[in-house]
Amino acid sequence: MSNPQQRKQQMSVLDRLQRYLPQLVIAPPFLLLVFFVYGFIAWTGIISLTNSRMLPTFDVQGIQQYVRLLAMDRWNVAFDNLLIFGSLYILFSITIGCVLAVLLDQRIRAEGALRTIYLYPMAISFIVTGTAWKWILNPSLGIESYMQKLGWESFQFDWIVNRDMAIYVVVLAAVWQASGFVMALFLSALRTVDEDIIRAAHLDGASTTRIYFGIILPSLRPVFLSAFVILAHLSIKSFDLVVALTNGGPGYSSTLPANFMYEMAFRRNQIGLGAASAMMMLATVAAIIVPYLYSELRAKRHG
Amino acid sequence: MATISIEHASKSFGSTDVLKDISLDVKDGEFLVLLGASGCGKSTLLNIIAGLEPIADGIIRLDGEVVNDVHPKNRDIAMVFQSYALYPNMTVERNIAFGLEMRKISKAERKATVREVASTLQIEHLLSRKPSQLSGGQRQRVAMGRALVRRPKIFLFDEPLSNLDAKLRGEMRTEIKKLHQTLKATMVYVTHDQIEAMTLADRIAIMKDGEIQQIGTPQEIYSKPANMYVAGFVGAPPMNFVDVDLVKREEQLGVILPAVLRGKPVDYFLPLPNSEQLHARENTKIILGLRPEMITHNAFTQTVNPEIACDVELLEPTGADTLCLIRLANHPAKARISPLFACTPGESMTFTIDMARVCLFDAESEELIG
């Protein structure tokens, strides 16, 4: 039998354990996160300052890899492609998604089925999307040959093998995949809009178009912002779609920075250059995410 | 001039009939309140007047013109919603001006009209704010401003005060009444709050299950309720209903009221003063409706009203009056007396019954019979 004093001590150990339990549970994943995410970001940052080739070295040389990178045509093509791809992808996904959401919001029949049909592409992996669109757009297999077989001999749709147009094919496939998701995002937001607002606007004499574009969509600013941020970071890290659809070709005309990074770091034994391009991508993401987080957190503090 | 006339309107959602053959006339400049519990169809009726919902059957006229298929914006109607329904992305000024903007009124004129309305409602200092920066009462005022600014023929209010706290509700009620007196516009007001209905209305229409139970002035509704539903819905505390026998004693028709005195049941005979139409019902059961103020202390030594003595179970002082819980025909009932005459709970006291004002209902149909 334990005397009361001993028991008191036992209790206090248990109490202490209970008090520190949350920290104890949180600590291991937190440390792993710090090490594997932020640790490796720092590691990549250091590597990008060295002239590592096949194996990493830690002999810091300065910014020469960045100078090399910015002088490479391949990188500049990839970065220009990112600008084209990113802006068109975001623009079309949001526009199409938004219009689909507004149309589906009209209390139509079979809405559930249609919603699933439009949302479904998001459930498919980029590799599958890329492969399917590769077949559809292949001039000798897909749309072009089909239309020609139907009798339209002069029909041409060969963007996928055209140096100047290949990146737009990537946009096409990516928009097909993402606009359903954007639609779901907008539809759920539209459903939270007070129906009385629409009624009031009807009584005020506004047309349905005017109600959507003048009142409802402007009040969905946070949803636009979320959609933008999600699509922006998706576009910057796009990699597999390009691999499956065009494999960066013809030549390197449709590569994106992520493909460039993979090519340099893991195929051409240019780890330093690859690391430098990875840091450039990180900076691009940060340029978008940081202002977003800042505005979100600030809004919460003021809210 | 703005009259509303609804003839045999009906409407159903799926298999539930929300409106059953409603006919209703609103006179020019009248303040009509549609009163009823939630789900009685009062808001649907309002939406039908506004044109926001089509009717399945019937005719609706504004100023004598059939408007069944006229778009809401062409009906010259403004509506104030329970949720205020302000446009969240616009400033207060644009919110109020939006209806004018849609009607292609020049910017300068819009601005002047908005200022004028804002000053009547004392919201001038809020014009540049967004709805999210306003309190409930301020939003309510903006919603009113949006309705006022167009100077419509008809105003519709859909429970506009139910999201406000009690004090603000009282203030806004007074303002709406003042507004009606200055504008002299036709107004239809939906509420489930009988006090709002009594204080605001020229006439009240009480609805239940998609049917109008009674239309009348607040006083008519209060003193001559058409049936037990209306009688129980209007008035706080509600009317007491007592099952009684209608009998004749010494050539006088009256009711037997069972009460409790010092723990023992006693029956009182209460003669009915205006009993001409009731002779056919002699020796049947009827329901006696007594408002709490009809059972009161005896302030005078001489009274024509019958007296009953009974046990008081509980007292509820409300300040101006004290409510006594007594037992009539085995059901709790409330009497309203002056606090000066209040006894202590458990004692018995004498009440007089104002027989001239009592309501009598048929036990089966629950309709008023006298």
Side-chain angles (χ1 to χ4, degrees):
Chain A
M1 286 293 276
S2 57
N3 63 43
Q5 210 157 22
Q6 261 180 334
R7 225 155 77 204
K8 203 170 155 192
Q9 240 167 7
Q10 271 175 354
M11 281 297 285
S12 84
V13 169
L14 266 179
D15 273 352
R16 225 176 281 175
L17 186 69
Q18 203 154 29
R19 185 175 310 159
Y20 293 113
L21 196 63
Q23 283 96 318
L24 284 174
V25 173
I26 291 295
F30 178 75
L31 292 174
L32 290 174
L33 187 79
V34 167
F35 182 71
F36 282 106
V37 175
Y38 299 97
F40 279 109
I41 288 177
W43 190 82
T44 309
I46 292 167
I47 295 294
S48 73
L49 300 173
T50 68
N51 59 354
S52 308
R53 286 186 172 270
M54 196 163 105
L55 291 170
T57 62
F58 294 95
D59 180 17
V60 174
Q61 304 272 322
I63 59 162
Q64 57 170 13
Q65 295 287 20
Y66 292 89
V67 177
R68 249 182 89 198
L69 182 73
L70 293 178
M72 279 177 83
D73 182 56
R74 196 186 179 100
W75 167 256
N76 288 323
V77 167
F79 203 80
D80 286 348
N81 278 343
L82 176 63
L83 294 183
I84 297 171
F85 171 74
S87 52
L88 292 179
Y89 171 60
I90 293 170
L91 184 76
F92 281 110
S93 297
I94 290 186
T95 316
I96 294 174
C98 198
V99 169
L100 284 176
V102 169
L103 293 178
L104 272 186
D105 193 36
Q106 307 306 309
R107 311 271 159 196
I108 53 168
R109 244 178 302 162
E111 184 207 308
L114 285 171
R115 205 172 45 201
T116 315
I117 289 171
Y118 286 122
L119 188 58
Y120 197 68
M122 199 66 187
I124 300 173
S125 103
F126 273 119
I127 297 287
V128 177
T129 305
T131 311
W133 279 97
K134 184 165 77 181
W135 292 337
I136 294 171
L137 297 171
N138 185 320
S140 51
L141 283 175
I143 297 178
E144 186 176 309
S145 79
Y146 182 73
M147 293 304 274
Q148 283 172 356
K149 269 184 207 146
L150 281 182
W152 188 354
E153 299 283 339
S154 61
F155 183 82
Q156 249 197 326
F157 190 64
D158 61 350
W159 285 9
I160 200 163
V161 292
N162 183 329
R163 275 189 94 74
D164 298 325
M165 302 308 282
I167 189 64
Y168 298 102
V169 171
V170 183
V171 173
L172 181 69
V175 167
W176 175 81
Q177 180 146 26
S179 41
F181 165 71
V182 177
M183 176 208 72
L185 213 62
F186 274 97
L187 192 59
S188 67
L190 285 175
R191 286 291 146 84
T192 64
V193 170
D194 181 4
E195 251 182 83
D196 283 349
I197 290 181
I198 302 175
R199 295 173 161 208
H202 267 305
L203 280 172
D204 266 346
S207 62
T208 306
T209 339
R210 180 70 202 240
I211 293 173
Y212 274 102
F213 288 97
I215 297 165
I216 297 178
L217 292 179
S219 69
L220 299 184
R221 213 180 66 101
V223 185
F224 276 101
L225 213 61
S226 309
F228 174 78
V229 169
I230 292 170
L231 294 173
H233 94 270
L234 277 179
S235 68
I236 292 167
K237 70 184 193 190
S238 283
F239 170 76
D240 33 8
L241 185 64
V242 175
V243 170
L245 189 61
T246 63
N247 201 15
Y252 50 77
S253 64
S254 64
T255 47
L256 288 175
N259 304 93
F260 176 92
M261 189 273 293
Y262 183 78
E263 183 78 18
M264 290 303 153
F266 303 112
R267 285 207 177 146
R268 301 201 177 184
N269 299 335
Q270 298 281 350
I271 288 187
L273 198 62
S277 67
M279 293 312 286
M280 294 295 285
M281 283 165 64
L282 177 69
T284 319
V285 175
I288 293 166
I289 301 283
V290 170
Y292 171 70
L293 284 181
Y294 180 74
S295 75
E296 282 288 284
L297 295 176
R298 200 184 52 163
K300 274 209 187 98
R301 220 179 305 135
H302 287 285
Chain B
M1 273 293 284
T3 61
I4 306 170
S5 153
I6 298 165
E7 291 160 27
H8 308 291
S10 50
K11 164 105 188 161
S12 49
F13 292 129
S15 60
T16 43
D17 297 333
V18 277
L19 293 180
K20 299 171 195 157
D21 193 27
I22 298 264
S23 292
L24 183 69
D25 279 295
V26 188
K27 297 186 212 71
D28 180 45
E30 189 176 28
F31 199 120
L32 180 85
V33 171
L34 299 174
L35 177 65
S38 55
C40 70
K42 56 193 192 301
S43 291
T44 312
L45 185 57
L46 198 71
N47 284 336
I48 282 173
I49 297 174
L52 295 168
E53 274 175 42
I55 40 176
D57 243 321
I59 297 171
I60 161 160
R61 295 175 206 269
L62 300 180
D63 277 344
E65 259 177 73
V66 178
V67 292
N68 283 30
D69 300 315
V70 174
H71 191 273
K73 70 175 179 205
N74 300 326
R75 294 192 182 191
D76 201 9
I77 278 176
M79 188 158 168
V80 178
F81 294 86
Q82 180 178 4
S83 61
Y84 315 134
L86 301 180
Y87 310 131
N89 58 314
M90 300 182 190
T91 60
V92 167
E93 182 164 12
R94 271 206 74 200
N95 257 287
I96 297 176
F98 190 69
L100 301 176
E101 201 181 320
M102 290 297 106
R103 282 170 172 74
K104 311 263 186 292
I105 286 164
S106 77
K107 204 168 180 184
E109 198 179 329
R110 245 154 49 198
K111 210 169 174 101
T113 326
V114 169
R115 294 266 154 206
E116 197 190 315
V117 168
S119 80
T120 352
L121 291 166
Q122 295 157 15
I123 48 172
E124 286 157 302
H125 58 294
L126 304 174
L127 285 179
S128 56
R129 293 209 201 156
K130 289 273 180 73
S132 57
Q133 297 165 303
L134 303 179
S135 70
Q138 290 170 332
R139 284 180 207 191
Q140 175 60 51
R141 279 169 193 273
V142 176
M144 300 263 294
R146 202 171 58 181
L148 281 174
V149 77
R150 274 174 26 218
R151 305 186 194 293
K153 289 194 293 200
I154 296 167
F155 287 89
L156 305 177
F157 296 89
D158 189 1
E159 309 213 15
L161 305 183
S162 52
N163 286 347
L164 300 179
D165 63 61
K167 185 166 172 284
L168 214 50
R169 205 180 305 160
E171 287 172 18
M172 289 305 291
R173 208 164 62 203
T174 318
E175 287 204 29
I176 291 176
K177 186 138 200 180
K178 271 191 209 155
L179 210 63
H180 178 243
Q181 276 172 7
T182 39
L183 293 174
K184 299 191 171 55
T186 309
M187 296 186 177
V188 182
Y189 187 107
V190 161
T191 184
H192 61 263
D193 181 344
Q194 47 112 1
I195 299 188
E196 256 170 47
M198 296 293 281
T199 49
L200 288 171
D202 291 330
R203 279 197 306 158
I204 298 176
I206 297 204
M207 293 182 66
K208 185 197 174 196
D209 298 334
E211 284 170 338
I212 292 180
Q213 303 289 312
Q214 186 177 7
I215 306 181
T217 63
Q219 199 50 48
E220 277 166 21
I221 300 254
Y222 190 76
S223 54
K224 289 274 168 239
N227 55 40
M228 281 174 67
Y229 179 79
V230 175
F233 198 83
V234 175
M239 183 182 267
N240 304 302
F241 295 114
V242 192
D243 294 323
V244 291
D245 291 312
L246 188 67
V247 295
K248 193 178 266 182
R249 278 190 189 171
E250 294 157 11
E251 291 306 301
Q252 173 64 49
L253 209 56
V255 295
I256 303 285
L257 182 68
V260 180
L261 182 60
R262 282 178 222 100
K264 291 197 183 80
V266 280
D267 288 347
Y268 292 100
F269 176 75
L270 309 176
L272 288 166
N274 315 307
S275 55
E276 292 77 28
Q277 334 87 302
L278 295 170
H279 286 288
R281 294 177 186 266
E282 197 186 325
N283 295 323
T284 60
K285 281 213 174 284
I286 58 167
I287 291 163
L288 175 69
L290 290 166
R291 293 211 180 268
E293 67 269 22
M294 297 175 191
I295 316 170
T296 188
H297 59 272
N298 188 357
F300 312 100
T301 44
Q302 294 278 312
T303 174
V304 293
N305 287 328
E307 292 184 344
I308 62 167
C310 65
D311 294 346
V312 174
E313 295 181 357
L314 210 66
L315 290 177
E316 291 176 355
T318 64
D321 313 295
T322 295
L323 298 170
C324 300
L325 197 72
I326 57 177
R327 197 159 269 279
L328 297 176
N330 264 326
H331 286 288
K334 276 180 181 166
R336 192 194 288 268
I337 61 168
S338 158
L340 298 174
F341 292 85
C343 59
T344 51
E347 280 183 28
S348 54
M349 71 175 275
T350 306
F351 298 94
T352 67
I353 310 256
D354 189 352
M355 290 309 286
R357 287 162 65 203
V358 297
C359 300
L360 298 171
F361 300 97
D362 186 282
E364 297 275 307
S365 67
E366 305 196 340
E367 299 288 326
L368 188 74
I369 51 176

